[in-house]
Amino acid sequence: MTILDRHILRQFFRLLLLTMLSFTLLYLIVDFFGRIRMFLSNDATVEQIASYFLYSMPQTVSLTVPVAMLLATLLSFSLLSKNNEIVAMKSSGVSIYRISCPLLIAAVLIAVCSFFFNEFITPAANAKAEYIKLVEVQKQQKGVFKRDQIWCRTGNAIYNFAYFNPSTNTLSGISVNYFDNTFHLTARIDARSARWTPKGWELRDLLVTSFHPGDFPVIEKMPSKIVDLPESPSELMAVQKEPDEMGFLELKEYVDKLKAQGFDPGQFVADMHGKIAFVAVNIILALIGVAFSLRSERSGGVALSIGAGIVIGFSYWIVFAFCLSLGRAMTIPPILAAWLANIILGIAAVVMYLRVRT
């Protein structure tokens, strides 16, 4: 690594940390005032409030890294241009592509680190923050998500299901186990699906197995049956584990399991590929940052670079979220939905980068 590389990277990482810290603090302040009424109405303690926002920070950092990457790149090269350092480097025979090389390598490393951060730290922190909000503060009962199954207990029954679709209020892959007061299994119901009705959950295509002491189990097949499960769809929303609480590998395992059981993984496919696309955009934004800031080497334009970074970064957020919602609704193929914003931005980045005057 040359002295020039170290100089560029030192300035870049200093600006990256500054922008990440600024965006994280701004996001947490806005989120605090948006949720403070909920905490106060539930008599949350200071420790619970502090813990919630502490565990929310990894998610905030994950969301702000791409915008921070773009702004840090724009500011780094804008400052180099403003101080005529770019002109001096080019006069010494160093091309723009060579000048930007260490920063692009850093962008790749940051993308890889972001993936592992989002894989192992962010999901666990999100799950803990959600638990604090729903269970410790709002005093809701929350089921347990384990081995790609959601388990709940109500009265003398323990039931689980593979997937809850809130848009249609349906369950898939349901098993209900009934126990007596001595916790001996008395009956079991296995159903392919369930639909919420005014009378309760209507299980369809089910097998009912009754267990009697000293006798063989009795199995009965039924097309449908109303089962008394007290949780409504709105209450199950608190039980369903969200994609933000799962890493890429966990989501992939869940999607594969749903496919193997014959269920439509739907939105989870888009979210799974979105986890890769969202960290890969760091490299694309670095390309855009270099190309945009060097469009006019003599002008510098630090204020313009900051404005452009904010506009481009938040525009990507909006387009990415919109495309992802289309993929979850199966309006467009989930894989295309996850990568569409990156494809559009990537083409623009490559064209802009190749047109930079070397």
Side-chain angles (χ1 to χ4, degrees), residues 70 74 96-97 284-285 287-295 308 312 344-357:
L70 176 60
L74 285 167
I96 291 296
Y97 301 138
I284 299 174
L285 291 176
L287 278 175
I288 287 182
V290 172
F292 190 88
S293 59
L294 295 178
R295 73 198 185 286
I312 295 173
I344 296 172
L345 200 63
I347 293 174
V350 172
V351 172
M352 290 175 63
Y353 188 72
L354 293 178
R355 294 180 62 183
V356 170
R357 297 193 297 271

PDB file of all heavy atoms in Angstrom, residues 70 74 96-97 284-285 287-295 308 312 344-357:
ATOM      1  N   LEU A  70     -21.771   6.213   0.438  1.00  0.00           N
ATOM      2  CA  LEU A  70     -21.883   7.148  -0.680  1.00  0.00           C
ATOM      3  C   LEU A  70     -21.406   8.543  -0.282  1.00  0.00           C
ATOM      4  O   LEU A  70     -20.627   9.175  -0.998  1.00  0.00           O
ATOM      5  CB  LEU A  70     -23.337   7.206  -1.163  1.00  0.00           C
ATOM      6  CG  LEU A  70     -23.651   8.216  -2.267  1.00  0.00           C
ATOM      7  CD1 LEU A  70     -22.827   7.931  -3.511  1.00  0.00           C
ATOM      8  CD2 LEU A  70     -25.132   8.188  -2.600  1.00  0.00           C
ATOM      9  N   LEU A  74     -18.206  10.600  -1.780  1.00  0.00           N
ATOM     10  CA  LEU A  74     -18.397  11.910  -2.402  1.00  0.00           C
ATOM     11  C   LEU A  74     -17.554  12.978  -1.725  1.00  0.00           C
ATOM     12  O   LEU A  74     -16.879  13.786  -2.387  1.00  0.00           O
ATOM     13  CB  LEU A  74     -19.877  12.300  -2.342  1.00  0.00           C
ATOM     14  CG  LEU A  74     -20.824  11.592  -3.315  1.00  0.00           C
ATOM     15  CD1 LEU A  74     -22.266  11.856  -2.918  1.00  0.00           C
ATOM     16  CD2 LEU A  74     -20.574  12.055  -4.740  1.00  0.00           C
ATOM     17  N   ILE A  96      -7.242   8.299 -12.723  1.00  0.00           N
ATOM     18  CA  ILE A  96      -8.379   8.332 -11.806  1.00  0.00           C
ATOM     19  C   ILE A  96      -8.734   6.917 -11.344  1.00  0.00           C
ATOM     20  O   ILE A  96      -9.087   6.698 -10.177  1.00  0.00           O
ATOM     21  CB  ILE A  96      -9.598   8.988 -12.486  1.00  0.00           C
ATOM     22  CG1 ILE A  96      -9.347  10.481 -12.693  1.00  0.00           C
ATOM     23  CG2 ILE A  96     -10.870   8.779 -11.670  1.00  0.00           C
ATOM     24  CD1 ILE A  96      -9.199  11.254 -11.399  1.00  0.00           C
ATOM     25  N   TYR A  97      -8.639   5.943 -12.242  1.00  0.00           N
ATOM     26  CA  TYR A  97      -8.967   4.558 -11.882  1.00  0.00           C
ATOM     27  C   TYR A  97      -8.015   4.044 -10.805  1.00  0.00           C
ATOM     28  O   TYR A  97      -8.427   3.337  -9.893  1.00  0.00           O
ATOM     29  CB  TYR A  97      -8.903   3.665 -13.124  1.00  0.00           C
ATOM     30  CG  TYR A  97      -9.852   4.103 -14.217  1.00  0.00           C
ATOM     31  CD1 TYR A  97      -9.448   4.094 -15.548  1.00  0.00           C
ATOM     32  CD2 TYR A  97     -11.141   4.539 -13.921  1.00  0.00           C
ATOM     33  CE1 TYR A  97     -10.317   4.494 -16.557  1.00  0.00           C
ATOM     34  CE2 TYR A  97     -12.018   4.947 -14.914  1.00  0.00           C
ATOM     35  CZ  TYR A  97     -11.597   4.923 -16.241  1.00  0.00           C
ATOM     36  OH  TYR A  97     -12.455   5.329 -17.226  1.00  0.00           O
ATOM     37  N   ILE A 284     -21.635  -0.435  -5.503  1.00  0.00           N
ATOM     38  CA  ILE A 284     -22.229   0.397  -6.552  1.00  0.00           C
ATOM     39  C   ILE A 284     -22.221   1.869  -6.151  1.00  0.00           C
ATOM     40  O   ILE A 284     -21.883   2.752  -6.951  1.00  0.00           O
ATOM     41  CB  ILE A 284     -23.663  -0.076  -6.844  1.00  0.00           C
ATOM     42  CG1 ILE A 284     -23.658  -1.522  -7.331  1.00  0.00           C
ATOM     43  CG2 ILE A 284     -24.336   0.830  -7.863  1.00  0.00           C
ATOM     44  CD1 ILE A 284     -25.036  -2.134  -7.501  1.00  0.00           C
ATOM     45  N   LEU A 285     -22.579   2.136  -4.906  1.00  0.00           N
ATOM     46  CA  LEU A 285     -22.609   3.524  -4.440  1.00  0.00           C
ATOM     47  C   LEU A 285     -21.217   4.136  -4.379  1.00  0.00           C
ATOM     48  O   LEU A 285     -21.047   5.341  -4.576  1.00  0.00           O
ATOM     49  CB  LEU A 285     -23.292   3.596  -3.066  1.00  0.00           C
ATOM     50  CG  LEU A 285     -24.797   3.307  -3.074  1.00  0.00           C
ATOM     51  CD1 LEU A 285     -25.351   3.309  -1.654  1.00  0.00           C
ATOM     52  CD2 LEU A 285     -25.539   4.325  -3.932  1.00  0.00           C
ATOM     53  N   LEU A 287     -18.843   3.448  -6.533  1.00  0.00           N
ATOM     54  CA  LEU A 287     -18.577   3.820  -7.927  1.00  0.00           C
ATOM     55  C   LEU A 287     -19.253   5.142  -8.283  1.00  0.00           C
ATOM     56  O   LEU A 287     -18.655   6.023  -8.908  1.00  0.00           O
ATOM     57  CB  LEU A 287     -19.079   2.713  -8.859  1.00  0.00           C
ATOM     58  CG  LEU A 287     -18.184   1.495  -9.079  1.00  0.00           C
ATOM     59  CD1 LEU A 287     -18.921   0.475  -9.931  1.00  0.00           C
ATOM     60  CD2 LEU A 287     -16.871   1.889  -9.721  1.00  0.00           C
ATOM     61  N   ILE A 288     -20.506   5.264  -7.876  1.00  0.00           N
ATOM     62  CA  ILE A 288     -21.238   6.496  -8.157  1.00  0.00           C
ATOM     63  C   ILE A 288     -20.595   7.680  -7.446  1.00  0.00           C
ATOM     64  O   ILE A 288     -20.484   8.779  -7.997  1.00  0.00           O
ATOM     65  CB  ILE A 288     -22.711   6.354  -7.735  1.00  0.00           C
ATOM     66  CG1 ILE A 288     -23.444   5.436  -8.710  1.00  0.00           C
ATOM     67  CG2 ILE A 288     -23.414   7.710  -7.682  1.00  0.00           C
ATOM     68  CD1 ILE A 288     -24.906   5.262  -8.422  1.00  0.00           C
ATOM     69  N   GLY A 289     -20.170   7.465  -6.208  1.00  0.00           N
ATOM     70  CA  GLY A 289     -19.541   8.537  -5.450  1.00  0.00           C
ATOM     71  C   GLY A 289     -18.288   9.050  -6.121  1.00  0.00           C
ATOM     72  O   GLY A 289     -18.066  10.269  -6.209  1.00  0.00           O
ATOM     73  N   VAL A 290     -17.456   8.126  -6.617  1.00  0.00           N
ATOM     74  CA  VAL A 290     -16.226   8.532  -7.303  1.00  0.00           C
ATOM     75  C   VAL A 290     -16.558   9.288  -8.588  1.00  0.00           C
ATOM     76  O   VAL A 290     -16.032  10.377  -8.843  1.00  0.00           O
ATOM     77  CB  VAL A 290     -15.360   7.297  -7.624  1.00  0.00           C
ATOM     78  CG1 VAL A 290     -14.183   7.680  -8.510  1.00  0.00           C
ATOM     79  CG2 VAL A 290     -14.861   6.651  -6.335  1.00  0.00           C
ATOM     80  N   ALA A 291     -17.457   8.720  -9.396  1.00  0.00           N
ATOM     81  CA  ALA A 291     -17.774   9.324 -10.689  1.00  0.00           C
ATOM     82  C   ALA A 291     -18.441  10.685 -10.529  1.00  0.00           C
ATOM     83  O   ALA A 291     -18.098  11.640 -11.238  1.00  0.00           O
ATOM     84  CB  ALA A 291     -18.689   8.382 -11.479  1.00  0.00           C
ATOM     85  N   PHE A 292     -19.371  10.801  -9.588  1.00  0.00           N
ATOM     86  CA  PHE A 292     -20.109  12.054  -9.418  1.00  0.00           C
ATOM     87  C   PHE A 292     -19.206  13.159  -8.892  1.00  0.00           C
ATOM     88  O   PHE A 292     -19.276  14.298  -9.337  1.00  0.00           O
ATOM     89  CB  PHE A 292     -21.281  11.836  -8.454  1.00  0.00           C
ATOM     90  CG  PHE A 292     -22.230  12.995  -8.399  1.00  0.00           C
ATOM     91  CD1 PHE A 292     -23.297  13.081  -9.275  1.00  0.00           C
ATOM     92  CD2 PHE A 292     -22.051  14.021  -7.469  1.00  0.00           C
ATOM     93  CE1 PHE A 292     -24.178  14.153  -9.231  1.00  0.00           C
ATOM     94  CE2 PHE A 292     -22.918  15.088  -7.413  1.00  0.00           C
ATOM     95  CZ  PHE A 292     -23.985  15.161  -8.304  1.00  0.00           C
ATOM     96  N   SER A 293     -18.340  12.827  -7.936  1.00  0.00           N
ATOM     97  CA  SER A 293     -17.502  13.865  -7.327  1.00  0.00           C
ATOM     98  C   SER A 293     -16.400  14.333  -8.264  1.00  0.00           C
ATOM     99  O   SER A 293     -15.855  15.425  -8.086  1.00  0.00           O
ATOM    100  CB  SER A 293     -16.877  13.334  -6.034  1.00  0.00           C
ATOM    101  OG  SER A 293     -16.099  12.179  -6.289  1.00  0.00           O
ATOM    102  N   LEU A 294     -16.063  13.521  -9.282  1.00  0.00           N
ATOM    103  CA  LEU A 294     -14.981  13.896 -10.198  1.00  0.00           C
ATOM    104  C   LEU A 294     -15.495  14.419 -11.533  1.00  0.00           C
ATOM    105  O   LEU A 294     -14.735  14.554 -12.482  1.00  0.00           O
ATOM    106  CB  LEU A 294     -14.080  12.677 -10.458  1.00  0.00           C
ATOM    107  CG  LEU A 294     -13.310  12.164  -9.244  1.00  0.00           C
ATOM    108  CD1 LEU A 294     -12.494  10.943  -9.613  1.00  0.00           C
ATOM    109  CD2 LEU A 294     -12.413  13.249  -8.681  1.00  0.00           C
ATOM    110  N   ARG A 295     -16.793  14.691 -11.602  1.00  0.00           N
ATOM    111  CA  ARG A 295     -17.355  15.173 -12.868  1.00  0.00           C
ATOM    112  C   ARG A 295     -16.723  16.511 -13.250  1.00  0.00           C
ATOM    113  O   ARG A 295     -16.656  16.877 -14.414  1.00  0.00           O
ATOM    114  CB  ARG A 295     -18.876  15.306 -12.751  1.00  0.00           C
ATOM    115  CG  ARG A 295     -19.308  16.479 -11.902  1.00  0.00           C
ATOM    116  CD  ARG A 295     -20.741  16.357 -11.441  1.00  0.00           C
ATOM    117  NE  ARG A 295     -21.149  17.568 -10.724  1.00  0.00           N
ATOM    118  CZ  ARG A 295     -20.751  17.872  -9.491  1.00  0.00           C
ATOM    119  NH1 ARG A 295     -19.934  17.063  -8.850  1.00  0.00           N
ATOM    120  NH2 ARG A 295     -21.151  18.982  -8.925  1.00  0.00           N
ATOM    121  N   ALA A 308     -26.228  15.663  -3.045  1.00  0.00           N
ATOM    122  CA  ALA A 308     -26.388  14.572  -4.010  1.00  0.00           C
ATOM    123  C   ALA A 308     -26.352  13.217  -3.312  1.00  0.00           C
ATOM    124  O   ALA A 308     -27.117  12.303  -3.653  1.00  0.00           O
ATOM    125  CB  ALA A 308     -25.277  14.647  -5.057  1.00  0.00           C
ATOM    126  N   ILE A 312     -29.419  10.628  -3.618  1.00  0.00           N
ATOM    127  CA  ILE A 312     -29.199   9.332  -4.255  1.00  0.00           C
ATOM    128  C   ILE A 312     -29.404   8.194  -3.248  1.00  0.00           C
ATOM    129  O   ILE A 312     -30.041   7.181  -3.546  1.00  0.00           O
ATOM    130  CB  ILE A 312     -27.782   9.258  -4.863  1.00  0.00           C
ATOM    131  CG1 ILE A 312     -27.633  10.271  -6.000  1.00  0.00           C
ATOM    132  CG2 ILE A 312     -27.497   7.852  -5.385  1.00  0.00           C
ATOM    133  CD1 ILE A 312     -26.224  10.383  -6.542  1.00  0.00           C
ATOM    134  N   ILE A 344     -30.481  -1.256 -11.823  1.00  0.00           N
ATOM    135  CA  ILE A 344     -30.644   0.085 -12.381  1.00  0.00           C
ATOM    136  C   ILE A 344     -29.501   0.993 -11.936  1.00  0.00           C
ATOM    137  O   ILE A 344     -28.873   1.688 -12.745  1.00  0.00           O
ATOM    138  CB  ILE A 344     -31.999   0.682 -11.949  1.00  0.00           C
ATOM    139  CG1 ILE A 344     -33.153  -0.148 -12.523  1.00  0.00           C
ATOM    140  CG2 ILE A 344     -32.116   2.134 -12.391  1.00  0.00           C
ATOM    141  CD1 ILE A 344     -34.508   0.250 -11.991  1.00  0.00           C
ATOM    142  N   LEU A 345     -29.226   0.978 -10.639  1.00  0.00           N
ATOM    143  CA  LEU A 345     -28.171   1.840 -10.104  1.00  0.00           C
ATOM    144  C   LEU A 345     -26.797   1.390 -10.583  1.00  0.00           C
ATOM    145  O   LEU A 345     -25.907   2.209 -10.824  1.00  0.00           O
ATOM    146  CB  LEU A 345     -28.226   1.824  -8.575  1.00  0.00           C
ATOM    147  CG  LEU A 345     -27.557   2.992  -7.842  1.00  0.00           C
ATOM    148  CD1 LEU A 345     -28.238   4.304  -8.185  1.00  0.00           C
ATOM    149  CD2 LEU A 345     -27.602   2.771  -6.334  1.00  0.00           C
ATOM    150  N   GLY A 346     -26.617   0.071 -10.732  1.00  0.00           N
ATOM    151  CA  GLY A 346     -25.335  -0.460 -11.182  1.00  0.00           C
ATOM    152  C   GLY A 346     -25.004  -0.049 -12.604  1.00  0.00           C
ATOM    153  O   GLY A 346     -23.855   0.305 -12.916  1.00  0.00           O
ATOM    154  N   ILE A 347     -25.994  -0.093 -13.489  1.00  0.00           N
ATOM    155  CA  ILE A 347     -25.772   0.343 -14.876  1.00  0.00           C
ATOM    156  C   ILE A 347     -25.383   1.822 -14.909  1.00  0.00           C
ATOM    157  O   ILE A 347     -24.435   2.222 -15.598  1.00  0.00           O
ATOM    158  CB  ILE A 347     -27.037   0.092 -15.722  1.00  0.00           C
ATOM    159  CG1 ILE A 347     -27.278  -1.414 -15.854  1.00  0.00           C
ATOM    160  CG2 ILE A 347     -26.901   0.739 -17.095  1.00  0.00           C
ATOM    161  CD1 ILE A 347     -28.582  -1.768 -16.542  1.00  0.00           C
ATOM    162  N   ALA A 348     -26.119   2.629 -14.140  1.00  0.00           N
ATOM    163  CA  ALA A 348     -25.795   4.058 -14.078  1.00  0.00           C
ATOM    164  C   ALA A 348     -24.397   4.282 -13.517  1.00  0.00           C
ATOM    165  O   ALA A 348     -23.651   5.151 -14.000  1.00  0.00           O
ATOM    166  CB  ALA A 348     -26.832   4.783 -13.223  1.00  0.00           C
ATOM    167  N   ALA A 349     -24.007   3.503 -12.505  1.00  0.00           N
ATOM    168  CA  ALA A 349     -22.692   3.662 -11.882  1.00  0.00           C
ATOM    169  C   ALA A 349     -21.566   3.331 -12.862  1.00  0.00           C
ATOM    170  O   ALA A 349     -20.579   4.065 -12.959  1.00  0.00           O
ATOM    171  CB  ALA A 349     -22.600   2.773 -10.646  1.00  0.00           C
ATOM    172  N   VAL A 350     -21.708   2.222 -13.590  1.00  0.00           N
ATOM    173  CA  VAL A 350     -20.662   1.813 -14.536  1.00  0.00           C
ATOM    174  C   VAL A 350     -20.517   2.842 -15.656  1.00  0.00           C
ATOM    175  O   VAL A 350     -19.399   3.214 -16.035  1.00  0.00           O
ATOM    176  CB  VAL A 350     -20.991   0.417 -15.110  1.00  0.00           C
ATOM    177  CG1 VAL A 350     -20.029   0.067 -16.245  1.00  0.00           C
ATOM    178  CG2 VAL A 350     -20.904  -0.645 -14.016  1.00  0.00           C
ATOM    179  N   VAL A 351     -21.644   3.320 -16.191  1.00  0.00           N
ATOM    180  CA  VAL A 351     -21.595   4.320 -17.261  1.00  0.00           C
ATOM    181  C   VAL A 351     -20.925   5.598 -16.771  1.00  0.00           C
ATOM    182  O   VAL A 351     -20.042   6.156 -17.452  1.00  0.00           O
ATOM    183  CB  VAL A 351     -23.019   4.622 -17.774  1.00  0.00           C
ATOM    184  CG1 VAL A 351     -23.007   5.810 -18.742  1.00  0.00           C
ATOM    185  CG2 VAL A 351     -23.600   3.390 -18.464  1.00  0.00           C
ATOM    186  N   MET A 352     -21.313   6.067 -15.590  1.00  0.00           N
ATOM    187  CA  MET A 352     -20.713   7.287 -15.035  1.00  0.00           C
ATOM    188  C   MET A 352     -19.229   7.103 -14.766  1.00  0.00           C
ATOM    189  O   MET A 352     -18.417   7.990 -15.040  1.00  0.00           O
ATOM    190  CB  MET A 352     -21.437   7.680 -13.738  1.00  0.00           C
ATOM    191  CG  MET A 352     -22.858   8.181 -13.932  1.00  0.00           C
ATOM    192  SD  MET A 352     -23.693   8.493 -12.354  1.00  0.00           S
ATOM    193  CE  MET A 352     -22.659   9.797 -11.683  1.00  0.00           C
ATOM    194  N   TYR A 353     -18.854   5.948 -14.238  1.00  0.00           N
ATOM    195  CA  TYR A 353     -17.455   5.696 -13.880  1.00  0.00           C
ATOM    196  C   TYR A 353     -16.573   5.630 -15.124  1.00  0.00           C
ATOM    197  O   TYR A 353     -15.450   6.152 -15.146  1.00  0.00           O
ATOM    198  CB  TYR A 353     -17.364   4.401 -13.089  1.00  0.00           C
ATOM    199  CG  TYR A 353     -15.988   4.131 -12.504  1.00  0.00           C
ATOM    200  CD1 TYR A 353     -15.501   4.877 -11.439  1.00  0.00           C
ATOM    201  CD2 TYR A 353     -15.189   3.114 -13.015  1.00  0.00           C
ATOM    202  CE1 TYR A 353     -14.245   4.621 -10.906  1.00  0.00           C
ATOM    203  CE2 TYR A 353     -13.936   2.836 -12.491  1.00  0.00           C
ATOM    204  CZ  TYR A 353     -13.469   3.603 -11.433  1.00  0.00           C
ATOM    205  OH  TYR A 353     -12.232   3.341 -10.907  1.00  0.00           O
ATOM    206  N   LEU A 354     -17.071   4.985 -16.191  1.00  0.00           N
ATOM    207  CA  LEU A 354     -16.268   4.855 -17.407  1.00  0.00           C
ATOM    208  C   LEU A 354     -16.133   6.177 -18.160  1.00  0.00           C
ATOM    209  O   LEU A 354     -15.210   6.341 -18.956  1.00  0.00           O
ATOM    210  CB  LEU A 354     -16.908   3.804 -18.324  1.00  0.00           C
ATOM    211  CG  LEU A 354     -16.885   2.353 -17.814  1.00  0.00           C
ATOM    212  CD1 LEU A 354     -17.588   1.424 -18.777  1.00  0.00           C
ATOM    213  CD2 LEU A 354     -15.445   1.890 -17.583  1.00  0.00           C
ATOM    214  N   ARG A 355     -17.052   7.103 -17.873  1.00  0.00           N
ATOM    215  CA  ARG A 355     -16.987   8.412 -18.546  1.00  0.00           C
ATOM    216  C   ARG A 355     -16.162   9.436 -17.784  1.00  0.00           C
ATOM    217  O   ARG A 355     -16.017  10.565 -18.234  1.00  0.00           O
ATOM    218  CB  ARG A 355     -18.409   8.947 -18.739  1.00  0.00           C
ATOM    219  CG  ARG A 355     -19.249   8.122 -19.704  1.00  0.00           C
ATOM    220  CD  ARG A 355     -20.643   8.677 -19.864  1.00  0.00           C
ATOM    221  NE  ARG A 355     -20.642  10.025 -20.430  1.00  0.00           N
ATOM    222  CZ  ARG A 355     -21.721  10.754 -20.620  1.00  0.00           C
ATOM    223  NH1 ARG A 355     -22.912  10.275 -20.265  1.00  0.00           N
ATOM    224  NH2 ARG A 355     -21.651  11.965 -21.150  1.00  0.00           N
ATOM    225  N   VAL A 356     -15.623   9.045 -16.645  1.00  0.00           N
ATOM    226  CA  VAL A 356     -14.764   9.973 -15.882  1.00  0.00           C
ATOM    227  C   VAL A 356     -13.492  10.227 -16.685  1.00  0.00           C
ATOM    228  O   VAL A 356     -12.864   9.309 -17.211  1.00  0.00           O
ATOM    229  CB  VAL A 356     -14.425   9.393 -14.496  1.00  0.00           C
ATOM    230  CG1 VAL A 356     -13.361  10.234 -13.818  1.00  0.00           C
ATOM    231  CG2 VAL A 356     -15.664   9.323 -13.640  1.00  0.00           C
ATOM    232  N   ARG A 357     -13.091  11.493 -16.733  1.00  0.00           N
ATOM    233  CA  ARG A 357     -11.858  11.840 -17.430  1.00  0.00           C
ATOM    234  C   ARG A 357     -10.653  11.336 -16.648  1.00  0.00           C
ATOM    235  O   ARG A 357     -10.434  11.720 -15.493  1.00  0.00           O
ATOM    236  CB  ARG A 357     -11.752  13.361 -17.610  1.00  0.00           C
ATOM    237  CG  ARG A 357     -12.863  13.936 -18.489  1.00  0.00           C
ATOM    238  CD  ARG A 357     -12.511  15.362 -18.883  1.00  0.00           C
ATOM    239  NE  ARG A 357     -12.428  16.222 -17.716  1.00  0.00           N
ATOM    240  CZ  ARG A 357     -13.457  16.887 -17.210  1.00  0.00           C
ATOM    241  NH1 ARG A 357     -14.668  16.737 -17.732  1.00  0.00           N
ATOM    242  NH2 ARG A 357     -13.313  17.676 -16.150  1.00  0.00           N
TER     243      ARG A 357
END
